[in-house]
Amino acid sequence: MPTLWGYSISAARSIDYDKNDPLFRRWLAIASPSSQLCIGCGGCTAACSAGNLTEFNIRRLQMLVKRGESRETAEQLHKCMLCGKCLLVCPRGVDTRQMILSMKRFLREHDQ
Amino acid sequence: MYYDPFVLPFTIGLTALLLFLIIKYIRWIRTFRKSERRKIRKGIFSLKTLRSIGEIFSECLLHRKIYRTNPFLGYMHTCFGLGWFLLIVAGKTESMVYHTSAVNPPYFAIFFRFFHPAKETFPYSNTFAFITDLLLLFILSGLFLALAKRLWSRIVGMRKTTKHRPLDLLILTTLWLIFPLRFLAESFTSGLRGGGSFLTNNAGEFFARFLPLEQLTYPAWWAYSGVLGLFFILLPFSRYMHIPTEIVYIFLKNWGIKQGTKFNAFSEIQMYACSRCGICIDSCQLNSSLGMDTQPVYFLKKIRHQKEYGHLIENCLLCGRCEASCPVGLTHNALRLAKRPDLSRITKNTYSYAKNAAAPAKMAYFAGCMGQLTPAVTRSMEQLFKQAGVSYTFIDKEGGVCCGRPMLLAGNREEAAVMAEKNRAILKASGAEVLVTSCPICLKMFREEYGLQIRIVHHTEYIDELIREGKLKTVPSEQRTVFHNPCELGRGSGIYQAPENILKSISRKIDTAFDGKKSLCCGGSLANTSIDGKQRNRIAGDAAKAYAAYKPDVLVTACPLCKKTFATASDIPVKDIAEVVAERCRP
Ligand code: SF4
Ligand code: SF4
Ligand code: SF4
Ligand code: SF4
């Protein structure tokens, strides 16, 4: 159908509400309200100590959670060193460290 | 045999209290680790015990440290502590002189004026009467101040006093009634049969004029004994548990017991040793800037009375200001940290991407994550190293692994240990004998958790040495500077002199009320994950304003995180001490 109208859906960019689990997202919105302020600028990732030498990408991880895809976050999040650099560069005042700690707590509580 | 049924409430109360305390302390100490119990055994017969007794005298009785907060507050505590103690000693001595025996029951000394027929004199009986009257007056004057403190706390120099529970207020009343009742009982007796000295004797004569002392005297002794007994019975359930527990804490502390990473029996002893004096409230910027009740007094109280305290665990900057002001000397940072859960889930492979290599040199420089965010600081340091002609290796120039302290402050000790292992390997590969850090957070971590056998200094100490050895030639200036000592540098690592030396030699350093241990927290501390950006900014703004009141040209700090935090909140320029020195260095 979509191709009929001249556009296509890229799987990487779409949010599939049938498959995704909104639990983590909803929980994060409450546990870390400032995470809602993120505009996805990527400043955090640019500054990130852990991302300096690896593929670790904190902006991507939080975006995935917000899309309801927590698998990659569960696999990657422990690479964050909680150093706080991202917190200092975020232009939107997202309390990234607190957000990451909340995410860790969620993962622990849900055994992921 | 001297006996009267009215002594029963006192005697029963005292016996019950002593039994309770002995059982409680033995049960606590039995859960200590073997190594700690060995420390206690070793410590008992050493000078440490004598030192403890000295400390108990000056802190539990004199309350010397409280005088630093306010002389009136100190006097009030001295009245109760020292006054009561001396009253007991004087009473006991008096009873022994009279009875010519040491083994009279405790109540005999306490209620001596009841049992002793006033007309009968014994050696120094007048002197004893005078001394006990004087002491009673001393305590009553303290009581007057305590009353005033309840009504108007600023009298004793406190902006806020602790909010107490109803039970605590009941026992407070009991305590306050003890001495007026003693005064009445002794005065009535004196009015009836004579005896006493300038206070009770005159008061007795005065009361005799219009009161039926025949009917009142005996009930007054019952009431006095009754409130004493009630006080002893209530003590274990109230904050006054701090009186005996502080003594135990001082002994244990001096024998070498330390607060570990777990909240254990020693933590409970600390918790009970808190007198809830409330001095920590005024020292905490979460109170003064944000009006939050998260200070140790509330934190420990909630834990002790099994109230919900989860939200307080994270809501602390671990700035150490309360610890520095606490008259009991409790280790609040360690206590708060012990309550943070360890959610670690990494393995040694997590950081395998970082190379275990660094260029070899005698000195290693570690900027740290925060240092990386303040290129002006690292540039200045590199300039200074070059000008002083020292060879160095910049081990995290291309980024690296965090020192681990922010992770540890979040409770995750295991992960922090993995990071430490990684950095240890990199340091070892460099072969450095000295490690210089720009960030005091890293400094504390390297010093306390890495177990390194090399010298670890902060750049303030290193620059100070370079200047004093003549390796750096500085040109003094007329610039007015105020120094903000970062929490982890001053209170955290005990570094006060080096920044003082540096700034005095290159600028006109202005002394402030926030120098040394009293320095303010910038609010940026990574230890607090509970407050948000706006709240941090308010703390930073208030602190910056307090320093700006001294009208400096530049606010100097020595921590990249403090610099960053102040930068957005301060109206005057903020610089790291390394930058200021670099500007004043002759090439
Ligand atoms: S706290 Fe974690 S995500 Fe943020 S910069 Fe440090 S390592 Fe990266
Ligand atoms: S820096 Fe802040 S706004 Fe930008 S992506 Fe990261 S969290 Fe979002
Ligand atoms: S923690 Fe220290 S300063 Fe605070 S109330 Fe207790 S004894 Fe006083
Ligand atoms: S450590 Fe600092 S922030 Fe925490 S309670 Fe004490 S004074 Fe307040």
Side-chain angles (χ1 to χ4, degrees):
Chain A
M1 263 295 260
T3 39
L4 205 66
W5 301 97
Y7 64 88
S8 62
I9 293 175
S10 144
R13 287 200 200 135
S14 64
I15 301 176
D16 186 342
Y17 281 108
D18 293 330
K19 282 197 199 137
N20 289 356
D21 176 13
L23 195 65
F24 198 174
R25 165 168 51 94
R26 289 202 195 117
W27 189 86
L28 190 66
I30 296 165
S32 172
S34 73
S35 66
Q36 302 299 96
L37 299 172
C38 174
I39 50 168
C41 72
C44 46
T45 296
C48 179
S49 299
N52 215 336
L53 304 167
T54 65
E55 292 295 296
F56 177 76
N57 184 334
I58 185 62
R59 184 194 68 108
R60 181 177 155 77
L61 294 187
Q62 61 157 317
M63 182 197 70
L64 287 177
V65 169
K66 286 175 186 163
R67 279 178 28 168
E69 296 165 24
S70 57
R71 190 187 47 83
E72 194 178 329
T73 309
E75 280 168 19
Q76 298 279 332
L77 193 62
H78 60 282
K79 291 186 180 163
C80 161
M81 308 185 205
L82 281 183
C83 69
K85 273 168 100 176
C86 47
L87 174 70
L88 290 192
V89 298
C90 177
R92 295 287 293 153
V94 176
D95 208 332
T96 47
R97 255 181 114 247
Q98 188 264 353
M99 175 189 78
I100 295 164
L101 273 168
S102 306
M103 285 156 88
K104 280 183 170 224
R105 208 160 292 146
F106 178 89
L107 293 174
R108 152 100 16 159
E109 278 166 20
H110 293 76
D111 233 10
Q112 289 188 33
Chain B
M1 187 60 194
Y2 297 98
Y3 174 77
D4 189 282
F6 87 83
V7 304
L8 280 178
F10 163 80
T11 312
I12 293 170
L14 184 64
T15 317
L17 174 65
L18 289 179
L19 277 176
F20 175 88
L21 291 180
I22 290 169
I23 293 171
K24 186 110 186 157
Y25 294 140
I26 289 181
R27 279 173 71 178
W28 267 332
I29 291 175
R30 272 177 56 182
T31 67
F32 280 22
R33 269 180 291 140
K34 266 215 183 86
S35 58
E36 286 172 329
R37 292 213 298 268
R38 204 172 317 126
K39 272 187 197 156
I40 297 179
R41 275 197 299 275
K42 258 201 200 151
I44 289 184
F45 301 105
S46 71
L47 274 179
K48 291 173 184 162
T49 302
L50 279 183
R51 200 179 324 132
S52 309
I53 293 174
E55 196 179 328
I56 288 167
F57 183 80
S58 74
E59 296 314 328
C60 302
L61 300 179
L62 264 182
H63 293 95
R64 191 180 50 90
K65 281 191 198 142
I66 302 185
Y67 281 87
R68 280 188 320 212
T69 304
N70 180 284
F72 281 118
L73 194 66
Y75 175 78
M76 182 187 114
H77 284 82
T78 309
C79 289
F80 285 117
L82 187 66
W84 202 356
F85 174 74
L86 289 180
L87 195 62
I88 293 170
V89 172
K92 187 73 194 166
T93 320
E94 182 183 26
S95 75
M96 288 188 317
V97 172
Y98 173 73
H99 200 245
T100 58
S101 151
V103 285
N104 52 45
Y107 65 75
F108 180 67
I110 301 291
F111 305 119
F112 185 73
R113 295 269 175 281
F114 176 87
F115 291 113
H116 167 239
K119 300 258 155 25
E120 182 189 330
T121 57
F122 55 95
Y124 306 110
S125 54
N126 281 335
T127 319
F128 277 122
F130 177 78
I131 291 175
T132 47
D133 262 18
L134 189 66
L135 288 171
L136 189 57
L137 184 66
F138 181 52
I139 300 176
L140 288 173
S141 72
L143 189 63
F144 179 75
L145 268 180
L147 254 171
K149 174 187 160 203
R150 285 283 134 202
L151 298 176
W152 198 49
S153 60
R154 290 210 183 228
I155 266 192
V156 290
M158 291 174 84
R159 271 175 302 185
K160 268 201 186 171
T161 57
T162 324
K163 296 169 203 143
H164 290 299
R165 302 176 308 149
L167 180 76
D168 282 320
L169 291 177
L170 171 69
I171 184 169
L172 183 73
T173 318
T174 321
L175 175 68
W176 284 4
L177 279 176
I178 290 176
F179 300 102
L181 279 174
R182 177 180 174 129
F183 167 72
L184 287 183
E186 291 193 344
S187 302
F188 290 173
T189 306
S190 170
L192 214 56
R193 331 187 285 230
S197 187
F198 69 96
L199 182 68
T200 45
N201 191 290
N202 288 331
E205 278 175 15
F206 172 72
F207 289 135
R209 276 189 241 154
F210 57 91
L211 287 178
L213 293 190
E214 286 285 353
Q215 282 91 49
L216 285 179
T217 309
Y218 191 55
W221 284 104
W222 263 101
Y224 175 39
S225 169
V227 290
L228 274 174
L230 189 63
F231 179 71
F232 292 146
I233 295 280
L234 288 178
L235 186 137
F237 310 103
S238 74
R239 67 191 180 103
Y240 295 103
M241 206 28 203
H242 82 86
I243 300 171
T245 313
E246 185 180 349
I247 296 174
V248 174
Y249 172 64
I250 289 176
F251 277 121
L252 293 176
K253 184 180 69 178
N254 283 325
W255 291 335
I257 309 292
K258 291 208 165 60
Q259 175 60 50
T261 54
K262 297 259 151 48
F263 200 92
N264 53 16
F266 187 60
S267 322
E268 286 198 26
I269 291 177
Q270 294 211 52
M271 179 173 86
Y272 278 87
C274 164
S275 65
R276 297 195 195 149
C277 64
I279 289 175
C280 52
I281 304 177
D282 277 352
S283 68
C284 177
Q285 290 164 262
L286 291 177
N287 168 53
S288 57
S289 287
L290 303 174
M292 291 173 163
D293 288 342
T294 182
Q295 294 72 32
V297 57
Y298 296 120
F299 181 59
L300 296 176
K301 184 169 135 189
K302 284 216 158 73
I303 301 177
R304 182 174 159 191
H305 299 303
Q306 280 130 36
K307 294 270 158 50
E308 171 53 36
Y309 62 89
H311 57 296
L312 297 186
I313 298 176
E314 311 296 335
N315 194 8
C316 171
L317 302 158
L318 297 186
C319 68
R321 279 175 56 84
C322 52
E323 197 166 302
S325 71
C326 175
V328 187
L330 302 176
T331 55
H332 294 305
N333 283 355
L335 280 171
R336 189 92 60 156
L337 260 179
K339 277 285 181 189
R340 297 193 173 171
D342 194 333
L343 302 175
S344 302
R345 39 180 266 151
I346 53 170
T347 64
K348 283 181 188 154
N349 296 328
T350 307
Y351 305 115
S352 52
Y353 57 81
K355 287 191 296 271
N356 279 6
K362 279 237 166 339
M363 187 261 280
Y365 174 58
F366 188 86
C369 302
M370 294 301 161
Q372 314 260 356
L373 277 184
T374 48
V377 177
T378 49
R379 251 198 327 267
S380 302
M381 284 311 292
E382 292 204 88
Q383 179 197 327
L384 293 178
F385 290 146
K386 285 207 185 87
Q387 284 180 350
V390 286
S391 73
Y392 67 100
T393 169
F394 191 159
I395 55 175
D396 61 339
K397 186 164 184 145
E398 308 301 332
V401 174
C402 172
C403 69
R405 186 154 171 85
M407 186 59 91
L408 183 144
L409 292 175
N412 303 339
R413 294 188 156 268
E414 273 178 49
E415 291 198 21
V418 175
M419 290 182 208
E421 204 178 306
K422 190 76 202 173
N423 281 322
R424 249 194 318 262
I426 298 173
L427 260 175
K428 203 162 169 210
S430 78
E433 286 157 17
V434 185
L435 171 65
V436 180
T437 73
S438 267
C439 178
I441 306 171
C442 307
L443 175 85
K444 196 167 165 67
M445 186 69 186
F446 280 122
R447 278 194 181 167
E448 292 177 7
E449 307 287 333
Y450 273 58
L452 291 171
Q453 299 306 321
I454 60 172
R455 203 168 159 240
I456 304 158
V457 290
H458 183 254
H459 73 225
T460 43
E461 296 174 294
Y462 197 72
I463 294 173
D464 181 35
E465 275 169 29
L466 290 180
I467 293 178
R468 280 191 290 141
E469 287 166 3
K471 290 190 181 148
L472 278 181
K473 305 261 178 298
T474 52
V475 194
S477 77
E478 279 305 297
Q479 199 174 39
R480 289 163 59 88
T481 55
V482 153
F483 184 61
H484 158 260
N485 199 327
C487 301
E488 300 275 53
L489 189 74
R491 286 182 297 271
S493 306
I495 298 171
Y496 299 107
Q497 202 50 50
E500 182 86 9
N501 294 346
I502 299 174
L503 287 181
K504 283 223 164 102
S505 76
I506 59 167
S507 70
R508 277 178 56 206
K509 180 181 177 293
I510 309 162
D511 291 336
T512 74
F514 313 107
D515 282 349
K517 280 193 172 166
K518 294 210 173 112
S519 97
L520 296 168
C521 176
C522 69
S525 165
L526 293 176
N528 192 325
T529 46
S530 166
I531 54 173
D532 62 27
K534 277 200 196 104
Q535 291 170 316
R536 282 178 196 283
N537 216 277
R538 200 163 333 136
I539 298 177
D542 287 350
K545 231 179 264 149
Y547 286 114
Y550 294 89
K551 303 214 169 9
D553 298 319
V554 52
L555 173 58
V556 184
T557 184
C559 167
L561 178 55
C562 298
K563 186 189 161 188
K564 276 256 168 212
T565 312
F566 274 137
T568 49
S570 166
D571 295 332
I572 39 170
V574 185
K575 281 186 186 156
D576 191 278
I577 197 161
E579 296 171 72
V580 184
V581 177
E583 282 166 13
R584 304 309 312 163
C585 258
R586 252 188 238 127

